[in-house]
Amino acid sequence: MNILIQKFGGTSLSTNEKREKVIEKIISAKNNGFLPVVVVSAIGRKGDPYSTDTLLSLIDRDTKGEEKDLIMCCGEIISSVVLSKALSLKNISSKVLTGGQAGIITNNNFGNADIIKVNPENILDTLSKGVIPIVTGFQGSTENNEFTTIGRGGSDTTATVLGEALKAHSIEIYTDVDGIMTADPKIVNEAKVIKNISYNEVYQLADHGAKVIHPEAVSYARKGNIPIYIKNASTNSKGTLISSEEIYIPNHPITGITHVPNRTQICIRLDKEYNNSNSIFDILKEKNISIDLINIFPMYKAFTVNDNFSDIVEEILKSKNYKFTLIKNCSKVSLIGNGMKGIPGIMAKILNSLDENNIEVLQTADSHMTIWCLIKNDDTNKAINILHEKFNL
Ligand code: ADP
Ligand code: MG
């Protein structure tokens, strides 16, 4: 079967006019000989009537996980039924399937459930009748038929996990930009669409803040080697093709720049090398606080945590009499590119460019395809624009 997964994000479904565009994409897939399997997000964004955030605002904070997931599943159910109705007005028959009905089985970690298997029979059965399955994104079901949600950005994951399970020809993710870009176009006006990019680079971009696709979604497609196209739902632009092909452009070490805001940097100085100086990491682990940008020396340790945890970490360090400095409101800027492997001078170029513009770098780290710089939140947009220009993105 020539299956094409088509996922439509919340902004792409927010008005009748936009839903008409979505229907055009579905019809065009059919006309091109594909069997479309449609995945939808909840309509709109925060503040819009049926968005997930709006639904969540109707309940209080201590609502238990099962019930919270039930209300969080409503947004996708609403948008799928609205789309199905709009398709039927064009004499296209479709059938709404909840995550569970689509065969997405998860554990019972409500709010952030893990997918344990996919039983695609129901989708295949629907397709065999010439009916288009419209699957509610972001959700699954436990073996006991309880609704679960699979975490933020989860509709992207629904699309790719189905793509893998159904051995789809490809996965199209429709959103409000023309594809994966060299930087967030909301930050860099000159950001350009990247025509071809590897799973590995996109995974890095997504994992370090570019919300255009969810990192877990990239992993499923990579596992099944299913190509992903990121496209604009309201234009006919070609978009970005994500595949296993690693592309190297001469003299172009950086593919894209992204960032994660609101990090707190913690630097611990030790007067003497005491044996239990690593106990701070055990305590953070116990408290489920994840850390990154970790630099360890015998007498010095640095790392970052989300700003939400800075007060807790400060308390712990004080109670242990550590000497430390703590800087809140930092931003982790990531420069990502396959082409940086073995090319000398990239870090120097980054540091010089930032220094020339009086942007203080608090910490750096690097791996084979990513360089991270910790700077202040307030410097982020300026830094990304400068680096975007310096590296000719
Ligand atoms: P959807 O509702 O369709 O899932 P998202 O808001 O999750 O849409 O993702 C699209 C947004 O991702 C864009 O509006 C854009 O501002 C942002 N974005 C961040 N980094 C990038 C990037 N490198 N390329 C494209 N878009 C990006
Ligand atoms: Mg999204």
Side-chain angles (χ1 to χ4, degrees), residues 11-54:
T11 47
S12 316
L13 292 159
S14 57
T15 61
N16 275 332
E17 219 178 8
K18 288 186 177 172
R19 289 191 284 273
E20 286 299 314
K21 291 276 180 196
V22 164
I23 291 171
E24 277 173 29
K25 305 287 180 198
I26 298 172
I27 292 174
S28 146
K30 270 170 72 97
N31 290 345
N32 287 325
F34 290 111
L35 294 173
V37 171
V38 175
V39 175
V40 294
S41 295
I43 291 173
R45 292 233 167 102
K46 197 172 184 165
D48 293 339
Y50 310 109
S51 75
T52 304
D53 285 300
T54 307

Short mmCIF file of all heavy atoms in Angstrom, two decimals, residues 11-54:
data_model
loop_
_atom_site.label_atom_id
_atom_site.label_comp_id
_atom_site.label_asym_id
_atom_site.label_seq_id
_atom_site.Cartn_x
_atom_site.Cartn_y
_atom_site.Cartn_z
N THR A 11 -2.27 25.49 14.09
CA THR A 11 -2.55 26.74 13.36
C THR A 11 -3.08 26.45 11.96
O THR A 11 -3.81 27.25 11.40
CB THR A 11 -1.28 27.60 13.24
OG1 THR A 11 -0.21 26.77 12.84
CG2 THR A 11 -0.94 28.28 14.55
N SER A 12 -2.74 25.27 11.41
CA SER A 12 -3.20 24.93 10.06
C SER A 12 -4.67 24.57 10.03
O SER A 12 -5.26 24.44 8.96
CB SER A 12 -2.40 23.75 9.52
OG SER A 12 -1.04 23.90 9.78
N LEU A 13 -5.29 24.38 11.20
CA LEU A 13 -6.68 23.92 11.25
C LEU A 13 -7.60 24.95 11.90
O LEU A 13 -8.76 24.67 12.17
CB LEU A 13 -6.74 22.62 12.08
CG LEU A 13 -6.06 21.40 11.47
CD1 LEU A 13 -5.72 20.37 12.53
CD2 LEU A 13 -6.98 20.77 10.41
N SER A 14 -7.07 26.17 12.12
CA SER A 14 -7.79 27.09 13.01
C SER A 14 -9.00 27.78 12.38
O SER A 14 -9.88 28.21 13.10
CB SER A 14 -6.82 28.12 13.57
OG SER A 14 -6.19 28.79 12.52
N THR A 15 -9.06 27.89 11.06
CA THR A 15 -10.23 28.56 10.45
C THR A 15 -10.77 27.71 9.29
O THR A 15 -10.07 26.82 8.78
CB THR A 15 -9.83 29.93 9.85
OG1 THR A 15 -8.85 29.71 8.83
CG2 THR A 15 -9.25 30.86 10.91
N ASN A 16 -12.00 28.01 8.88
CA ASN A 16 -12.59 27.31 7.73
C ASN A 16 -11.70 27.43 6.51
O ASN A 16 -11.48 26.46 5.77
CB ASN A 16 -13.95 27.92 7.38
CG ASN A 16 -15.05 27.30 8.24
OD1 ASN A 16 -14.94 26.15 8.66
ND2 ASN A 16 -16.09 28.08 8.50
N GLU A 17 -11.18 28.65 6.31
CA GLU A 17 -10.32 28.91 5.15
C GLU A 17 -9.08 28.01 5.17
O GLU A 17 -8.72 27.41 4.16
CB GLU A 17 -9.88 30.38 5.25
CG GLU A 17 -9.83 31.09 3.95
CD GLU A 17 -9.42 32.55 4.17
OE1 GLU A 17 -9.03 32.92 5.31
OE2 GLU A 17 -9.47 33.29 3.20
N LYS A 18 -8.48 27.92 6.36
CA LYS A 18 -7.28 27.08 6.49
C LYS A 18 -7.62 25.61 6.32
O LYS A 18 -6.85 24.84 5.74
CB LYS A 18 -6.59 27.33 7.83
CG LYS A 18 -5.90 28.68 7.86
CD LYS A 18 -5.12 28.84 9.13
CE LYS A 18 -4.38 30.18 9.11
NZ LYS A 18 -3.77 30.45 10.41
N ARG A 19 -8.79 25.22 6.82
CA ARG A 19 -9.18 23.81 6.67
C ARG A 19 -9.43 23.48 5.20
O ARG A 19 -9.19 22.35 4.77
CB ARG A 19 -10.40 23.49 7.54
CG ARG A 19 -10.04 23.46 9.03
CD ARG A 19 -11.16 22.89 9.87
NE ARG A 19 -12.26 23.80 10.07
CZ ARG A 19 -12.34 24.71 11.05
NH1 ARG A 19 -11.36 24.81 11.95
NH2 ARG A 19 -13.38 25.49 11.17
N GLU A 20 -9.86 24.48 4.41
CA GLU A 20 -10.01 24.25 2.97
C GLU A 20 -8.67 23.90 2.35
O GLU A 20 -8.55 23.02 1.51
CB GLU A 20 -10.58 25.51 2.28
CG GLU A 20 -12.07 25.73 2.53
CD GLU A 20 -12.93 24.58 2.02
OE1 GLU A 20 -12.72 24.13 0.88
OE2 GLU A 20 -13.81 24.12 2.79
N LYS A 21 -7.61 24.62 2.78
CA LYS A 21 -6.25 24.35 2.29
C LYS A 21 -5.82 22.93 2.66
O LYS A 21 -5.21 22.22 1.87
CB LYS A 21 -5.25 25.34 2.91
CG LYS A 21 -5.40 26.76 2.42
CD LYS A 21 -4.64 26.91 1.11
CE LYS A 21 -4.77 28.33 0.59
NZ LYS A 21 -4.40 28.45 -0.80
N VAL A 22 -6.17 22.54 3.89
CA VAL A 22 -5.83 21.20 4.37
C VAL A 22 -6.51 20.15 3.48
O VAL A 22 -5.89 19.17 3.06
CB VAL A 22 -6.25 21.05 5.85
CG1 VAL A 22 -6.30 19.59 6.29
CG2 VAL A 22 -5.32 21.86 6.75
N ILE A 23 -7.76 20.40 3.18
CA ILE A 23 -8.51 19.46 2.33
C ILE A 23 -7.87 19.36 0.94
O ILE A 23 -7.74 18.27 0.38
CB ILE A 23 -10.00 19.84 2.28
CG1 ILE A 23 -10.61 19.60 3.67
CG2 ILE A 23 -10.75 19.07 1.21
CD1 ILE A 23 -12.02 20.14 3.85
N GLU A 24 -7.41 20.51 0.43
CA GLU A 24 -6.70 20.48 -0.87
C GLU A 24 -5.49 19.55 -0.81
O GLU A 24 -5.22 18.82 -1.76
CB GLU A 24 -6.20 21.89 -1.23
CG GLU A 24 -7.23 22.78 -1.87
CD GLU A 24 -6.70 24.21 -2.05
OE1 GLU A 24 -5.46 24.37 -2.21
OE2 GLU A 24 -7.52 25.15 -2.02
N LYS A 25 -4.74 19.60 0.31
CA LYS A 25 -3.54 18.76 0.44
C LYS A 25 -3.94 17.28 0.47
O LYS A 25 -3.25 16.43 -0.09
CB LYS A 25 -2.78 19.07 1.74
CG LYS A 25 -2.38 20.52 1.93
CD LYS A 25 -1.25 20.92 1.01
CE LYS A 25 -0.89 22.38 1.23
NZ LYS A 25 -0.12 22.95 0.13
N ILE A 26 -5.06 16.98 1.13
CA ILE A 26 -5.50 15.58 1.22
C ILE A 26 -5.96 15.09 -0.16
O ILE A 26 -5.58 14.00 -0.61
CB ILE A 26 -6.64 15.44 2.27
CG1 ILE A 26 -6.13 15.85 3.66
CG2 ILE A 26 -7.20 14.02 2.29
CD1 ILE A 26 -7.21 15.94 4.74
N ILE A 27 -6.72 15.95 -0.87
CA ILE A 27 -7.19 15.56 -2.21
C ILE A 27 -6.00 15.37 -3.14
O ILE A 27 -5.93 14.40 -3.91
CB ILE A 27 -8.15 16.64 -2.78
CG1 ILE A 27 -9.45 16.64 -1.95
CG2 ILE A 27 -8.45 16.39 -4.25
CD1 ILE A 27 -10.43 17.75 -2.32
N SER A 28 -5.02 16.26 -3.02
CA SER A 28 -3.87 16.17 -3.90
C SER A 28 -3.09 14.87 -3.64
O SER A 28 -2.61 14.22 -4.58
CB SER A 28 -3.03 17.43 -3.73
OG SER A 28 -1.69 17.17 -3.88
N ALA A 29 -3.01 14.46 -2.37
CA ALA A 29 -2.34 13.18 -2.06
C ALA A 29 -3.07 12.01 -2.73
O ALA A 29 -2.46 11.13 -3.33
CB ALA A 29 -2.30 12.97 -0.55
N LYS A 30 -4.41 12.04 -2.65
CA LYS A 30 -5.21 10.98 -3.29
C LYS A 30 -5.00 10.98 -4.80
O LYS A 30 -4.79 9.93 -5.41
CB LYS A 30 -6.70 11.23 -2.99
CG LYS A 30 -7.20 10.55 -1.72
CD LYS A 30 -8.61 11.01 -1.36
CE LYS A 30 -9.66 10.47 -2.31
NZ LYS A 30 -10.33 9.26 -1.77
N ASN A 31 -5.01 12.19 -5.38
CA ASN A 31 -4.84 12.29 -6.83
C ASN A 31 -3.47 11.80 -7.28
O ASN A 31 -3.30 11.37 -8.41
CB ASN A 31 -5.06 13.72 -7.30
CG ASN A 31 -6.52 14.13 -7.18
OD1 ASN A 31 -7.39 13.27 -7.02
ND2 ASN A 31 -6.79 15.43 -7.23
N ASN A 32 -2.49 11.88 -6.36
CA ASN A 32 -1.15 11.40 -6.70
C ASN A 32 -0.98 9.91 -6.41
O ASN A 32 0.13 9.39 -6.41
CB ASN A 32 -0.09 12.20 -5.95
CG ASN A 32 0.04 13.60 -6.52
OD1 ASN A 32 -0.10 13.81 -7.73
ND2 ASN A 32 0.29 14.58 -5.66
N GLY A 33 -2.08 9.24 -6.13
CA GLY A 33 -2.04 7.78 -5.97
C GLY A 33 -1.71 7.30 -4.56
O GLY A 33 -1.43 6.11 -4.36
N PHE A 34 -1.72 8.21 -3.60
CA PHE A 34 -1.43 7.79 -2.22
C PHE A 34 -2.72 7.47 -1.46
O PHE A 34 -3.80 7.97 -1.80
CB PHE A 34 -0.71 8.92 -1.47
CG PHE A 34 0.70 9.15 -1.95
CD1 PHE A 34 1.03 10.32 -2.64
CD2 PHE A 34 1.69 8.20 -1.72
CE1 PHE A 34 2.32 10.53 -3.09
CE2 PHE A 34 2.99 8.41 -2.17
CZ PHE A 34 3.30 9.58 -2.85
N LEU A 35 -2.56 6.66 -0.41
CA LEU A 35 -3.63 6.47 0.55
C LEU A 35 -3.29 7.34 1.75
O LEU A 35 -2.40 6.99 2.54
CB LEU A 35 -3.69 5.00 0.98
CG LEU A 35 -4.09 3.99 -0.10
CD1 LEU A 35 -3.93 2.57 0.43
CD2 LEU A 35 -5.53 4.22 -0.55
N PRO A 36 -3.95 8.50 1.90
CA PRO A 36 -3.57 9.36 3.03
C PRO A 36 -4.09 8.83 4.37
O PRO A 36 -5.21 8.34 4.46
CB PRO A 36 -4.21 10.71 2.69
CG PRO A 36 -5.15 10.49 1.56
CD PRO A 36 -4.96 9.10 1.02
N VAL A 37 -3.23 8.94 5.38
CA VAL A 37 -3.64 8.75 6.77
C VAL A 37 -3.38 10.10 7.43
O VAL A 37 -2.25 10.57 7.46
CB VAL A 37 -2.81 7.65 7.47
CG1 VAL A 37 -3.10 7.60 8.97
CG2 VAL A 37 -3.07 6.29 6.83
N VAL A 38 -4.46 10.74 7.90
CA VAL A 38 -4.35 12.11 8.39
C VAL A 38 -4.21 12.11 9.92
O VAL A 38 -4.87 11.33 10.60
CB VAL A 38 -5.60 12.91 7.95
CG1 VAL A 38 -5.58 14.32 8.55
CG2 VAL A 38 -5.68 12.97 6.43
N VAL A 39 -3.29 12.94 10.42
CA VAL A 39 -3.12 13.11 11.88
C VAL A 39 -3.34 14.59 12.19
O VAL A 39 -2.79 15.45 11.50
CB VAL A 39 -1.70 12.69 12.33
CG1 VAL A 39 -1.48 12.98 13.81
CG2 VAL A 39 -1.45 11.21 12.03
N VAL A 40 -4.17 14.87 13.18
CA VAL A 40 -4.43 16.28 13.49
C VAL A 40 -4.07 16.63 14.93
O VAL A 40 -4.14 15.81 15.84
CB VAL A 40 -5.92 16.68 13.27
CG1 VAL A 40 -6.29 16.60 11.81
CG2 VAL A 40 -6.85 15.81 14.11
N SER A 41 -3.66 17.90 15.09
CA SER A 41 -3.47 18.48 16.43
C SER A 41 -4.76 19.18 16.83
O SER A 41 -5.67 19.33 16.02
CB SER A 41 -2.37 19.53 16.41
OG SER A 41 -1.15 18.96 16.10
N ALA A 42 -4.79 19.68 18.08
CA ALA A 42 -5.92 20.50 18.53
C ALA A 42 -5.91 21.82 17.76
O ALA A 42 -4.86 22.30 17.36
CB ALA A 42 -5.80 20.76 20.03
N ILE A 43 -7.09 22.39 17.56
CA ILE A 43 -7.23 23.62 16.80
C ILE A 43 -6.57 24.79 17.54
O ILE A 43 -6.80 24.96 18.74
CB ILE A 43 -8.73 23.94 16.58
CG1 ILE A 43 -9.35 22.92 15.62
CG2 ILE A 43 -8.93 25.37 16.06
CD1 ILE A 43 -10.85 23.06 15.47
N GLY A 44 -5.80 25.57 16.81
CA GLY A 44 -5.30 26.84 17.34
C GLY A 44 -4.19 26.71 18.37
O GLY A 44 -3.60 25.64 18.56
N ARG A 45 -3.89 27.83 19.01
CA ARG A 45 -2.83 27.90 20.02
C ARG A 45 -3.42 28.44 21.31
O ARG A 45 -4.58 28.83 21.36
CB ARG A 45 -1.73 28.85 19.55
CG ARG A 45 -0.94 28.33 18.38
CD ARG A 45 0.55 28.35 18.63
NE ARG A 45 1.25 27.57 17.61
CZ ARG A 45 1.89 28.11 16.59
NH1 ARG A 45 1.97 29.41 16.47
NH2 ARG A 45 2.50 27.34 15.70
N LYS A 46 -2.60 28.53 22.34
CA LYS A 46 -3.00 29.05 23.64
C LYS A 46 -3.94 30.26 23.50
O LYS A 46 -3.64 31.19 22.74
CB LYS A 46 -1.74 29.48 24.40
CG LYS A 46 -1.97 29.65 25.87
CD LYS A 46 -0.64 29.89 26.59
CE LYS A 46 -0.92 29.95 28.07
NZ LYS A 46 0.26 29.83 28.88
N GLY A 47 -5.05 30.23 24.20
CA GLY A 47 -5.99 31.35 24.12
C GLY A 47 -7.13 31.06 23.16
O GLY A 47 -8.24 31.55 23.34
N ASP A 48 -6.87 30.24 22.12
CA ASP A 48 -7.94 29.88 21.20
C ASP A 48 -8.91 28.93 21.92
O ASP A 48 -8.50 28.16 22.80
CB ASP A 48 -7.38 29.21 19.95
CG ASP A 48 -6.56 30.19 19.11
OD1 ASP A 48 -6.78 31.40 19.27
OD2 ASP A 48 -5.72 29.74 18.32
N PRO A 49 -10.21 28.94 21.54
CA PRO A 49 -11.22 28.24 22.32
C PRO A 49 -10.96 26.75 22.56
O PRO A 49 -11.23 26.25 23.64
CB PRO A 49 -12.50 28.42 21.50
CG PRO A 49 -12.23 29.48 20.52
CD PRO A 49 -10.77 29.69 20.42
N TYR A 50 -10.45 26.02 21.58
CA TYR A 50 -10.36 24.56 21.76
C TYR A 50 -8.93 24.05 21.85
O TYR A 50 -8.69 22.87 21.67
CB TYR A 50 -11.11 23.86 20.61
CG TYR A 50 -12.51 24.42 20.42
CD1 TYR A 50 -12.84 25.19 19.30
CD2 TYR A 50 -13.48 24.19 21.38
CE1 TYR A 50 -14.10 25.73 19.16
CE2 TYR A 50 -14.75 24.73 21.24
CZ TYR A 50 -15.06 25.50 20.13
OH TYR A 50 -16.30 26.03 19.99
N SER A 51 -8.00 24.96 22.10
CA SER A 51 -6.60 24.51 22.19
C SER A 51 -6.39 23.75 23.49
O SER A 51 -7.16 23.89 24.45
CB SER A 51 -5.65 25.70 22.12
OG SER A 51 -5.67 26.39 23.36
N THR A 52 -5.34 22.95 23.53
CA THR A 52 -5.07 22.13 24.72
C THR A 52 -4.87 23.01 25.95
O THR A 52 -5.38 22.71 27.04
CB THR A 52 -3.84 21.25 24.45
OG1 THR A 52 -4.11 20.49 23.28
CG2 THR A 52 -3.56 20.30 25.61
N ASP A 53 -4.14 24.14 25.78
CA ASP A 53 -3.90 25.02 26.93
C ASP A 53 -5.20 25.58 27.46
O ASP A 53 -5.39 25.71 28.68
CB ASP A 53 -2.97 26.17 26.53
CG ASP A 53 -1.55 25.67 26.41
OD1 ASP A 53 -1.01 25.18 27.41
OD2 ASP A 53 -0.99 25.78 25.31
N THR A 54 -6.13 25.94 26.56
CA THR A 54 -7.41 26.49 26.99
C THR A 54 -8.20 25.43 27.75
O THR A 54 -8.79 25.70 28.80
CB THR A 54 -8.20 27.00 25.77
OG1 THR A 54 -7.36 27.88 25.04
CG2 THR A 54 -9.47 27.71 26.18
#
